[in-house]
C-alpha cells in the first residue's frame, strides 16, 4: 500500500460502506473553511473509490465469499449444482488469484490449472487462441488500411491531376490521405459506445471490418480525387470503432497473465499489417492496364487491404462474445457459458465471472457528485493523468513516424530512386518496424515506459535530422540514397520499441477505473486527429520547407517531446491502482522540478561515472494480509485484472 494513499484516506480496504456513504454532498462555497473541507471529502471519496475498484472483494472472509458466490449462481441460474460449487470456489479465488493454494475445497485439477496461469501463462484453451488470432488479424486490418496508400498515391495522384508540387495538388493529396483519420477523430471513435451497446463486441468488429472491406473495394473504383476522398472518409468508420473495441474485447476475454502482452501485440500486429501493405504495393506494381481500365495496379493495391478484413468477417462469430458485455446486458448465464469456453475449468471461469460481476456492481454504485468528463479536468489526479496521456498520444504522431508510413515511397522517389526501388525501400521500413516491435513486449515492463521514451525521443530526433540533411549530399553520389534510407531505417528501429507501443499502454493504465473509458476515448480521438493533421500537411510542408526543413521540423518535435516526458509524464510501470494514485497525486510543478534535477545527476552518473543516485520521489510500504481474507491483491500490477 502506498504511504500517501493510506494517510490521506485514513481507511483500509475492508472499511468500505454501501453506496450512500460514498456519495458526496454539495457544500456551500461561501466559507473558505467549508470549501476546504469539501475538497478534502471529495478527494477521500475518489481515493476510496479507486481502491474499491482495484479489488472490490477486499476484506471479506472466505466463508462470506463462498456464500456470495453461491448466492450469485442461484440468483442468475447460471447452471447446475456443479456450477454452483464452482462459484463457491471461484469467489474465494477472485479475491486474490495468486493465493489459490490456500482456498479450502479446491480440487487438485483446479489447483494445477490455476498454477499454470503463473508458471506457463500461454497454456490456454484453443478457443482462446482463436480470439488472439482474431485480435491480431484486426490489428493487421488496421495496419494495411493505413499503408497501401503509400504506393497507390504514386499513381492515382497523377491520374486525378493532383500529382504536382503546386499548392492545390499538395493540399488535395494531403486531404485525400488524411480523410479516414479525421473521420475517426470526429465521428468514428465516438460511435464506439453506441455500436458496442447495440451489437456487442463481436458485432462491432464484424460491422467495422465490413466497412473497411467495402471502403477498400470502393477505393479501387474511384475516378477522381473527391471520389477517392469520400471512399477514404468512409474507411474511417471502419478504423475508428475497431481500434477502440478490439483491445477491450481482448482484455475482457483473456486471463490476467497474458492481458498486458495482448495490449502490446495490438501495436506489433498493426506493424505487421503496415509491412503487408507495403508488400502488396510491391506485388501489384507491374500489373498492366486492361482495355477500359486505367491504373489497374494502384486499384489492386488499394483493394488488397480488404483481404484481412474479409478473414475477420469469416470467423469473428466463431469466437465467444465478451462475458462482460453479456453481463452489462444482465445475461449472466450466457456470460458464464461464454467464459467456460475460454477457460480450462468451471472454477476458473466462475472466478473471472464473479470478479467481473462484483467490479461492475462497484462501478455502478459509485457517485462522485459531478460529470465524469468534468472529473477528468477538475480533479488534479485525473488532470495529471490526462496530461501525461495526451502528451504521449500527441507525440506518437508528431514524432513523424506516419510521415514515413504514408509517404516513404514518395520520399524515396524524391531521393531519385525509381518507383519500384522506392516501394522496395518502403517494404524494408515495414519489416524493420515489425521486427523491432517484438522486443517491446519485454522492454516495456523491464526498462519502463518513461525510460523508453526518454531514450528514444532524442535518437528519433537525431535520425530525422540525419535523414533530412542527407538530401544535401549530391544526388549523383551513392551515399545520397544510402544515407536517406539509413536514417529512415534507424528511425524505425528506435520508434518501434518506444513511441510505438507506449502511448496506448500508458493511457490504458494512467486513468482511474471510474473514468478510464472517457480518458481512453479522448486519447484515441487525439491520436487520430493529429494523424490527420500530419497526413494533410506533409505534402505542402515538403514543398515549402524542402526535405531538409520538413524532416527538421519533426526532428525538433522529438526534442520537445523529450522535455515534455521528462517534466510531465510519470513512470507507471509495475504500479498498482493505489500506487498510481500516489504517482499522479504529486503536483505537476514538483514532478517537473524532479525531472530537471535528474539531468545533472544523469551526466554525473553515466558520463563522469560518479557514485550518485537519483532522488526518490515516491515512498512505498509493504502490503498486509489478514488470516481469513485478503485486503489487497498480491499481483505486481492490479491493473492487469481490469
Amino acid at each position: 500500500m502506498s504511504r500517501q494513499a493510506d494517510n490521506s484516506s485514513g481507511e483500509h480496504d475492508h472499511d468500505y460502506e454501501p453506496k450512500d456513504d460514498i456519495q458526496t454532498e454539495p457544500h456551500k462555497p461561501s466559507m473558505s473553511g467549508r470549501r476546504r473541507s469539501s475538497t478534502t471529502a471529495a478527494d477521500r471519496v475518489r481515493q476510496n473509490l479507486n481502491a474499491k475498484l482495484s479489488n472490490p472483494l477486499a476484506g471479506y472472509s472466505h466463508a462470506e465469499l463462498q456464500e456470495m458466490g453461491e448466492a450469485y449462481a442461484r440468483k442468475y441460474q447460471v447452471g447446475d449444482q456443479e456450477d454452483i460449487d464452482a462459484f463457491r470456489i471461484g469467489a474465494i479465488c477472485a479475491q486474490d488469484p495468486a493465493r489459490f493454494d490456500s482456498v479450502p475445497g479446491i480440487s487438485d485439477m483446479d489447483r494445477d490449472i490455476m498454477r499454470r496461469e503463473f508458471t506457463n501463462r500461454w497454456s490456454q484453451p484453443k478457443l482462446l487462441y482463436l480470439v488472439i488470432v482474431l485480435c491480431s488479424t484486426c490489428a493487421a486490418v488496421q495496419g494495411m488500411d493505413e499503408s497501401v496508400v503509400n504506393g497507390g498515391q504514386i499513381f492515382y495522384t497523377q491520374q486525378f491531376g493532383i500529382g504536382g508540387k503546386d499548392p492545390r495538388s499538395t493540399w488535395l493529396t494531403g486531404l485525400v490521405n488524411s480523410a479516414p483519420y479525421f473521420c475517426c477523430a470526429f465521428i468514428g471513435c465516438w460511435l464506439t459506445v453506441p455500436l458496442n451497446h447495440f451489437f456487442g463486441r463481436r458485432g462491432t468488429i464484424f460491422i467495422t471490418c465490413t466497412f473497411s472491406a467495402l471502403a477498400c473495394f470502393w477505393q479501387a473504383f474511384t475516378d477522381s480525387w473527391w471520389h477517392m476522398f469520400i471512399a477514404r472518409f468512409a474507411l474511417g468508420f471502419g478504423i475508428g470503432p475497431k481500434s477502440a473495441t478490439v483491445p477491450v474485447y481482448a482484455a475482457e476475454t483473456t486471463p490476467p497473465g497474458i492481458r498486458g502482452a495482448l495490449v502490446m501485440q495490438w501495436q506489433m500486429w498493426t506493424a505487421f499489417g503496415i509491412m503487408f501493405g507495403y508488400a502488396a504495393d510491391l506485388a501489384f506494381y507491374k500489373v498492366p492496364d486492361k482495355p477500359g481500365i486505367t491504373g489497374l495496379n494502384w486499384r489492386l493495391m488499394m483493394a488488397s487491404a480488404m483481404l484481412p478484413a474479409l478473414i475477420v468477417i469469416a470467423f469473428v462469430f466463431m469466437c465467444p462474445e465478451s462475458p462482460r458485455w453479456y453481463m452489462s446486458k444482465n445475461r449472466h448465464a450466457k456470460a458464464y457459458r461464454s467464459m467456460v469456453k475460454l477457460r480450462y475449468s468451471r472454477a476458473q471461469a466462475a472466478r473471472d465471472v464473479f470478479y467481473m460481476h462484483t467490479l461492475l456492481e462497484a462501478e455502478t454504485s459509485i457517485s462522485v457528485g459531478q460529470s465524469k468528463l468534468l472529473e477528468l479536468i477538475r480533479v488534479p489526479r485525473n488532470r495529471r493523468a490526462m496530461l501525461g496521456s495526451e502528451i504521449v498520444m500527441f507525440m506518437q504522431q508528431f514524432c513523424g513516424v506516419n510521415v514515413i508510413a504514408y509517404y516513404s515511397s514518395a520520399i524515396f522517389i524524391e531521393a531519385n530512386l525509381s518507383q519500384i526501388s522506392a516501394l522496395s525501400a518502403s517494404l524494408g521500413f515495414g519489416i524493420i518496424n515489425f521486427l523491432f516491435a517484438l522486443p517491446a513486449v519485454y522492454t516495456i515492463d523491464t526498462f519502463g515506459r518513461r525510460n523508453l521514451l526518454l531514450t528514444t525521443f532524442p535518437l528519433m530526433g537525431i535520425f530525422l535530422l540525419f535523414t533530412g540533411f542527407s538530401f544535401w549530399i549530391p544526388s549523383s553520389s551513392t551515399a545520397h540514397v544510402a544515407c536517406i534510407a539509413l536514417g529512415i531505417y534507424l528511425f524505425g528501429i528506435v520508434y518501434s520499441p518506444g513511441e510505438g507501443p507506449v502511448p496506448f499502454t500508458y493511457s490504458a493504465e494512467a486513468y482511474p477505473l471510474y473514468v478510464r473509458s472517457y480518458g481512453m476515448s479522448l486519447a484515441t480521438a487525439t491520436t487520430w486527429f493529429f494523424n490527420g493533421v500530419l497526413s494533410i500537411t506533409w505534402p505542402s510542408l515538403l514543398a515549402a520547407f524542402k526535405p531538409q526543413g520538413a524532416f527538421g521540423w519533426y526532428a525538433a518535435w522529438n526534442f520537445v517531446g523529450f522535455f515534455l516526458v521528462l517534466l510531465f509524464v510519470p513512470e507507471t510501470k509495475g504500479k498498482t491502482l493505489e500506487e498510481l494514485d500516489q504517482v499522479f497525486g504529486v503536483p505537476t510543478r514538483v514532478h517537473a522540478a524532479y525531472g530537471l534535477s535528474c539531468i545533472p545527476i544523469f551526466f554525473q552518473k553515466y558520463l563522469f561515472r560518479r557514485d550518485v543516485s537519483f532522488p526518490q520521489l515516491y515512498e512505498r510500504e509493504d502490503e498486509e494480509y489478514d488470516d481469513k481474507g485478503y485486503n489487497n491483491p498480491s499481483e505486481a500490477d492490479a491493473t492487469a485484472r481490469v
Side-chain angles (χ1 to χ4, degrees):
M1 181 185 301
S2 62
R3 186 186 303 273
Q4 177 175 326
D6 184 39
N7 291 342
S8 60
S9 66
E11 297 175 15
H12 297 287
D13 289 343
H14 58 272
D15 291 329
Y16 297 123
E17 298 296 331
K19 171 182 175 181
D20 293 338
D21 287 333
I22 62 171
Q23 293 181 344
T24 56
E25 296 294 329
H27 292 257
K28 295 181 180 180
S30 57
M31 298 175 61
S32 59
R34 298 188 80 176
R35 180 184 293 118
R36 287 193 296 269
S37 176
S38 173
T39 302
T40 303
D43 288 344
R44 188 182 303 115
V45 166
R46 294 183 185 99
Q47 289 161 358
N48 291 344
L49 184 156
N50 293 334
K52 181 176 181 179
L53 292 180
S54 71
N55 188 7
L57 296 174
Y60 289 103
S61 69
H62 289 170
E64 290 173 327
L65 289 169
Q66 284 182 323
E67 292 178 5
M68 292 165 61
E70 180 175 348
Y72 171 79
R74 293 188 183 278
K75 178 180 178 180
Y76 294 106
Q77 301 178 348
V78 297
D80 54 22
Q81 185 59 45
E82 186 177 351
D83 295 303
I84 293 173
D85 292 339
F87 271 93
R88 289 176 61 85
I89 298 297
I92 301 175
C93 294
Q95 189 182 56
D96 189 347
R99 294 175 172 258
F100 57 88
D101 267 329
S102 62
V103 174
I106 189 171
S107 68
D108 291 339
M109 182 190 73
D110 288 330
R111 185 179 288 108
D112 290 340
I113 288 172
M114 293 183 187
R115 182 177 293 110
R116 284 208 302 271
E117 288 184 320
F118 297 92
T119 60
N120 188 9
R121 61 178 184 167
W122 290 102
S123 175
Q124 303 294 341
K126 292 181 180 178
L127 199 55
L128 185 60
Y129 278 107
L130 188 64
V131 172
I132 295 172
V133 171
L134 173 70
C135 297
S136 301
T137 310
C138 286
V141 173
Q142 190 106 336
M144 202 168 178
D145 284 342
E146 295 179 30
S147 64
V148 289
V149 70
N150 191 303
Q153 68 180 326
I154 296 175
F155 305 99
Y156 71 67
T157 53
Q158 300 296 329
Q159 186 172 330
F160 296 161
I162 56 173
K165 294 187 177 181
D166 57 287
R168 175 184 178 274
S169 296
T170 56
W171 280 107
L172 288 180
T173 298
L175 180 66
V176 170
N177 287 344
S178 65
Y181 314 119
F182 283 125
C183 177
C184 286
F186 293 111
I187 305 175
C189 287
W190 306 106
L191 291 176
T192 303
V193 173
L195 284 174
N196 278 269
H197 176 76
F198 289 109
F199 303 107
R201 310 293 188 238
R202 295 182 305 173
T204 301
I205 292 171
F206 178 84
I207 291 170
T208 54
C209 283
T210 300
F211 260 106
S212 292
L214 292 176
C216 291
F217 191 69
W218 184 1
Q219 289 177 109
F221 290 88
T222 55
D223 55 6
S224 62
W225 69 263
W226 59 264
H227 194 182
M228 177 66 83
F229 171 82
I230 296 172
R232 286 185 58 74
F233 191 86
L235 181 62
F237 291 102
I239 293 177
K242 181 170 76 272
S243 66
T245 300
V246 174
V248 172
Y249 178 66
E252 292 176 347
T253 53
T254 53
I258 62 173
R259 196 167 294 157
L262 284 183
V263 174
M264 291 295 311
Q265 288 190 18
W266 171 261
Q267 178 64 30
M268 184 180 74
W269 290 105
T270 299
F272 176 82
I274 290 173
M275 178 187 71
F276 202 71
Y278 292 146
D281 289 343
L282 195 59
F284 293 118
Y285 173 79
K286 290 189 176 181
V287 173
D289 290 347
K290 300 294 182 182
I293 304 177
T294 303
L296 182 58
N297 57 351
W298 70 259
R299 296 180 188 276
L300 290 173
M301 292 176 188
M302 302 302 286
S304 65
M306 69 185 294
L307 176 61
L310 292 175
I311 295 173
V312 171
I313 291 170
F315 79 94
V316 61
F317 287 106
M318 296 170 62
C319 298
E321 180 56 89
S322 162
R324 180 158 180 156
W325 183 81
Y326 275 135
M327 208 170 289
S328 69
K329 297 297 181 182
N330 208 31
R331 304 176 191 172
H332 294 262
K334 285 189 174 181
Y336 175 60
R337 289 197 294 271
S338 179
M339 189 67 82
V340 167
K341 296 177 182 178
L342 297 166
R343 300 293 185 266
Y344 275 122
S345 74
R346 296 189 185 190
Q348 198 181 19
R351 176 199 65 190
D352 293 343
V353 167
F354 184 74
Y355 186 81
M356 280 185 183
H357 166 68
T358 53
L359 186 61
L360 278 173
E361 281 198 331
E363 289 174 351
T364 55
S365 69
I366 63 176
S367 173
V368 291
Q370 63 180 349
S371 165
K372 290 183 180 179
L373 285 175
L374 292 178
E375 286 274 311
L376 286 178
I377 302 171
R378 292 183 176 178
V379 179
R381 181 260 184 264
N382 298 345
R383 188 168 61 245
R384 295 180 193 110
M386 182 176 68
L387 177 62
S389 170
E390 291 298 290
I391 286 173
V392 295
M393 282 296 192
F394 167 76
M395 287 306 308
Q396 186 178 52
Q397 301 306 323
F398 264 63
C399 71
V401 64
N402 283 329
V403 165
I404 298 171
Y406 305 154
Y407 294 103
S408 61
S409 296
I411 292 170
F412 284 123
I413 290 173
E414 183 85 12
N416 295 325
L417 278 182
S418 65
Q419 289 180 345
I420 192 167
S421 297
L423 291 172
S424 301
S426 295
L427 177 60
F429 172 77
I431 293 172
I432 286 174
N433 190 31
F434 172 62
L435 292 180
F436 282 88
L438 297 174
V441 176
Y442 172 77
T443 57
I444 197 168
D445 283 324
T446 53
F447 199 50
R449 290 83 159 125
R450 175 180 161 89
N451 287 337
L452 279 173
L453 296 180
L454 291 176
T455 302
T456 56
F457 268 130
L459 293 175
M460 287 191 291
I462 291 170
F463 294 142
L464 284 183
L465 286 175
F466 179 83
T467 303
F469 293 169
S470 295
F471 279 88
W472 272 315
I473 300 174
S475 57
S476 58
S477 172
T478 306
H480 177 78
V481 172
C483 288
I484 291 171
L486 177 63
I488 289 175
Y489 291 166
L490 289 174
F491 174 87
I493 288 172
V494 295
Y495 166 83
S496 294
E499 259 298 283
V502 167
F504 274 94
T505 303
Y506 190 92
S507 299
E509 63 194 3
Y511 290 103
L513 288 173
Y514 76 104
V515 292
R516 181 168 294 173
S517 60
Y518 294 87
M520 279 303 296
S521 294
L522 176 63
T524 305
T526 298
T527 195
W528 288 124
F529 173 75
F530 286 107
N531 192 330
V533 169
L534 182 145
S535 302
I536 197 173
T537 57
W538 175 256
S540 297
L541 189 70
L542 187 63
F545 287 5
K546 306 305 178 187
Q548 297 89 335
F551 279 105
W553 166 256
Y554 285 108
W557 274 108
N558 279 284
F559 295 116
V560 170
F562 170 83
F563 285 100
L564 289 176
V565 171
L566 181 70
L567 300 179
F568 305 118
V569 179
E571 180 60 78
T572 60
K573 179 197 73 165
K575 300 289 192 299
T576 66
L577 288 175
E578 193 177 28
E579 289 165 348
L580 287 174
D581 283 344
Q582 182 191 23
V583 167
F584 289 106
V586 174
T588 303
R589 64 181 181 276
V590 174
H591 190 276
Y594 165 78
L596 291 175
S597 69
C598 289
I599 295 177
I601 297 175
F602 174 85
F603 285 106
Q604 292 178 43
K605 185 178 182 68
Y606 296 107
L607 187 62
F608 299 110
R609 314 303 295 176
R610 293 180 180 174
D611 186 17
V612 294
S613 58
F614 291 100
Q616 186 174 353
L617 191 60
Y618 315 110
E619 294 181 0
R620 298 179 61 179
E621 289 182 351
D622 295 332
E623 297 172 347
E624 296 181 357
Y625 301 91
D626 59 34
D627 295 332
K628 296 182 179 180
Y630 313 125
N631 288 332
N632 291 293
S634 61
E635 297 170 276
D637 184 1
T639 60
R641 298 191 64 190
V642 292

